[in-house]
């Protein structure tokens, strides 16, 4: 995927205008089809409104339209002459916080919307904090609904000051603030005469110009094997054996020496095969089949890495959990831990502390985590997990926990 693609998520409290902002961006950049726009008009008129209800362009589920809320993560795509965009519109309701975890884990930037009338709410802080935990270091703070506070500069400056104070306490993140009205179009793609006191870039200008490095390209080579390919022998491929998967991070080229984990076996890359032909090198996010010089015992869940920078093999580690299930965390209860393409049995035998998302204080002692709690725990696994700290590599540092009902109960980030 090109580095000129920006993946971003929208987050914030319910009714702060996330879907309306995305809908307007889609319409004003020609990112929405005519039939979608006409459908949004008809639905709005059926309810007694006039013109386009921009939020209806992203709320695709029937239940979302009926309730006027976003429930599932809605992915949308649009492009301008300068950049391509992938948007993940995450729900604002607290009960759907788990969906924000999903969208933020695949995003490079978060747009935090704040209702100018209400200022920063708990959910604004929670979403910002979760996005930060998941590795996002670039934030755009859209102070929305400025039309409802008479486009007042003082109110904007107050919210901007509060947010910057909060995010500065996290450390190492960049935040850009913009006063907008997604409903009326002020400072989204067009300037606003009603807020001429703001001289910074419009929302679209900032999205087009902000520089966000994809850490997956800079991280060491990691390749989790999804499938071993052994097609029937043929004259062209009498003894083919390849390892299929996606390059999680870094790059590899033909001739590189690699190590297979957890076995520790070593070999040399002899080929990189794709449906479009063979490659000399493969990079992060590419799906390929790798062949090796030696007949090494490799199966699904094993990981290939370059000899000079292998990941760790761990059965006991600390992790930060975002607990997402209505059933509480149970100490010493058996869970399934899914990490890259590997699945292992695991237990949580200790909770170090729970984080207060409002004050960022660590609360302890703690014996349980409930829905939407964030805490640091210690995990033991039955088999080794081949991993990196999440702060070093998002692709090999993250995992999910699944309970006996096959429900995903938590998303986790391995600590160093």
């Amino acid at each position: 995927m090109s580095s000129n693609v920006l993946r971003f998520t929208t987050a914030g409290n319910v009714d702060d205008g996330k879907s309306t902002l995305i809908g307007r961006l889609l319409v004003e950049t020609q990112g929405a089809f005519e039939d979608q726009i006409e459908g949004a008009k008809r639905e709005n008129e059926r309810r007694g409104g006039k013109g386009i209800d921009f939020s209806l362009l992203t709320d695709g589920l029937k239940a979302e339209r009926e309730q006027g809320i976003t429930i599932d993560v809605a992915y949308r795509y649009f492009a301008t002459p300068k950049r391509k965009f992938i948007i993940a519109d995450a729900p604002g309701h607290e009960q759907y916080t788990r969906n924000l975890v999903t969208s933020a884990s695949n995003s490079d930037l978060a747009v935090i919307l704040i209702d100018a009338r209400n200022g920063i709410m708990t959910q604004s802080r929670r979403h910002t904090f979760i996005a930060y935990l998941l590795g996002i270091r670039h934030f755009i703070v859209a102070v929305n609904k400025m039309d409802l506070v008479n486009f007042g500069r003082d109110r904007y400056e107050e919210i901007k000051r509060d947010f910057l104070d909060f995010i500065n306490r996290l450390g190492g993140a960049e935040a850009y603030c913009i006063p907008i009205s997604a409903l009326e179009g002020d400072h989204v793609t067009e300037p606003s005469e009603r807020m001429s006191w703001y001289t910074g870039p419009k929302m679209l200008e900032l999205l087009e110009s902000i520089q966000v490095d994809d850490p997956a390209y800079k991280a060491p080579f990691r390749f989790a094997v999804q499938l071993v390919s052994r097609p029937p022998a043929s004259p062209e491929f009498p003894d083919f054996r390849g390892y299929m998967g996606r390059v999680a991070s870094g790059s590899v080229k033909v001739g590189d020496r690699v190590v297979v984990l957890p076995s520790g076996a070593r070999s040399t890359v002899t080929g990189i095969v794709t449906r479009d032909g063979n490659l000399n090198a493969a990079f992060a996010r590419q799906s390929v089949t790798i062949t090796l010089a030696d007949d090494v015992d490799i199966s699904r869940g094993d990981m290939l890495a370059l000899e000079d920078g292998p990941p760790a093999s761990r059965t006991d580690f600390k992790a930060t959990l975002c607990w997402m299930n209505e059933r509480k965390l149970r100490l010493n209860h058996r869970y399934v831990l899914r990490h890259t393409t590997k699945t292992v049995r695991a237990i949580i035998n200790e909770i170090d502390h729970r984080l207060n998302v409002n004050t960022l204080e660590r609360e302890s002692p703690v014996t349980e985590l409930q829905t939407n709690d964030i805490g640091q725990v210690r995990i033991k696994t039955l088999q080794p997990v081949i991993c990196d700290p999440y702060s070093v590599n998002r692709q090999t540092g993250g995992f999910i926990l699944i309970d006996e009902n096959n429900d995903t109960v938590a998303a986790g980030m391995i600590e160093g």
Side-chain angles (χ1 to χ4, degrees):
M1 182 174 287
S2 167
S3 59
N4 200 32
V5 176
L6 180 66
R7 296 179 297 270
F8 69 92
T9 184
T10 56
N13 202 41
V14 64
D15 289 334
D16 280 352
K18 298 180 291 297
S19 297
T20 300
L21 172 63
I22 294 174
R24 180 173 286 279
L25 281 170
L26 293 176
V27 170
E28 296 187 352
T29 59
Q30 287 75 55
F33 294 111
E34 285 297 326
D35 62 329
Q36 293 174 316
I37 297 173
E38 287 301 318
K41 281 183 180 177
R42 286 195 302 272
E43 180 63 19
N44 192 34
E45 290 169 358
R46 187 184 67 81
R47 299 175 179 182
K50 292 183 179 179
I52 305 173
D53 182 338
F54 292 102
S55 68
L56 297 177
L57 289 167
T58 57
D59 289 338
L61 300 177
K62 182 180 179 181
E64 293 176 328
R65 290 173 178 257
E66 290 176 347
Q67 298 179 56
I69 62 172
T70 300
I71 296 173
D72 202 359
V73 179
Y75 290 94
R76 294 293 183 269
Y77 311 87
F78 73 98
T80 69
K82 296 181 179 178
R83 203 170 214 177
K84 296 177 182 178
F85 300 92
I86 301 174
I87 317 171
D89 181 20
H93 279 77
E94 184 173 348
Q95 70 188 92
Y96 301 123
T97 297
R98 60 185 180 275
N99 294 344
L100 183 275
V101 174
T102 301
S103 63
S105 65
N106 292 303
S107 296
D108 304 311
L109 179 148
V111 176
I112 307 293
L113 276 92
I114 297 174
D115 188 323
R117 298 170 299 175
N118 303 324
I120 300 176
M121 308 290 285
T122 295
Q123 196 70 334
S124 313
R125 294 188 181 90
R126 185 191 303 278
H127 280 184
T128 302
F129 187 55
I130 290 174
Y132 181 86
L133 273 180
L134 289 164
I136 291 178
R137 294 294 181 267
H138 300 275
F139 294 84
I140 296 177
V141 185
V143 181
N144 192 25
K145 304 188 182 183
M146 289 295 293
D147 52 304
L148 299 182
V149 293
N150 298 319
F151 302 98
R153 181 173 186 172
D154 290 345
R155 181 56 177 155
Y156 165 73
E157 295 291 348
E158 179 185 359
I159 294 171
K160 176 182 175 181
R161 187 168 53 251
D162 290 346
F163 186 88
L164 292 180
D165 176 66
F166 177 75
I167 203 160
N168 286 339
R169 292 161 62 192
L170 299 178
E174 292 184 331
Y176 309 85
C177 299
I178 306 178
I180 69 168
S181 170
L183 184 65
E184 300 195 10
D186 297 80
H187 287 154
V188 179
T189 64
E190 299 294 332
S192 171
E193 294 181 357
R194 298 179 289 193
M195 289 185 283
S196 57
W197 46 264
Y198 172 77
T199 58
K202 302 182 287 292
M203 173 66 72
L204 184 59
E205 286 179 330
L206 193 51
L207 290 171
E208 288 179 327
S209 61
I210 194 166
Q211 294 301 310
V212 178
D213 293 330
D214 187 341
Y217 288 93
K218 294 184 176 179
F221 171 64
R222 302 287 186 258
F223 183 86
V225 176
Q226 294 181 346
L227 187 68
V228 179
S229 176
R230 293 291 306 274
S234 65
E236 187 178 2
F237 300 106
D239 194 24
F240 183 87
R241 183 184 181 92
Y243 308 101
M244 307 172 72
R246 188 174 186 231
V247 181
S249 62
S251 63
V252 67
K253 62 182 184 298
V254 175
D256 278 344
R257 290 284 296 172
V258 294
V259 57
V260 183
L261 297 167
S263 71
R266 293 165 190 267
S267 187
T268 302
V269 175
T270 56
I272 299 172
V273 182
T274 75
R275 59 179 297 176
D276 298 320
N278 294 348
L279 304 174
N280 290 322
F283 300 88
R285 305 185 188 282
Q286 278 186 295
S287 294
V288 298
T289 298
I290 292 176
T291 60
L292 301 179
D294 303 283
D295 190 11
V296 182
D297 182 13
I298 299 176
S299 58
R300 176 182 170 84
D302 288 352
M303 186 174 291
L304 305 185
L306 297 182
E307 274 189 333
D308 59 357
S313 176
R314 304 169 70 176
T315 56
D316 186 338
F317 52 85
K318 284 187 176 182
T320 297
L321 289 186
C322 298
W323 196 257
M324 304 187 294
N325 197 271
E326 294 175 355
R327 289 185 292 277
K328 301 173 184 176
L329 181 157
R330 296 163 62 185
L331 286 176
N332 298 314
H333 181 74
R334 288 184 180 180
Y335 293 100
V336 171
L337 186 150
R338 186 168 295 166
H339 171 266
T340 62
T341 57
K342 194 176 185 66
T343 299
V344 300
R345 293 284 182 184
I347 62 169
I348 302 166
N349 57 5
E350 186 177 330
I351 303 174
D352 290 340
H353 60 258
R354 178 174 52 214
L355 286 162
N356 184 315
V357 297
N358 284 308
T359 64
L360 301 182
E361 293 179 348
R362 298 178 177 185
E363 300 172 343
S364 63
V366 178
T367 58
E368 62 182 32
L369 294 181
Q370 302 184 34
T371 309
N372 295 324
D373 277 350
I374 298 170
Q376 186 188 69
V377 301
R378 181 168 285 279
I379 295 179
K380 284 191 174 181
T381 59
L382 191 60
Q383 296 174 300
V385 174
I386 312 303
C387 60
D388 296 284
Y390 190 86
S391 59
V392 174
N393 194 320
R394 292 170 73 177
Q395 282 66 38
T396 54
F399 63 88
I400 60 172
L401 287 179
I402 301 168
D403 69 4
E404 68 275 11
N405 297 317
N406 208 29
D407 290 334
T408 300
V409 296
M413 290 140 278
I414 296 170
E415 299 189 5

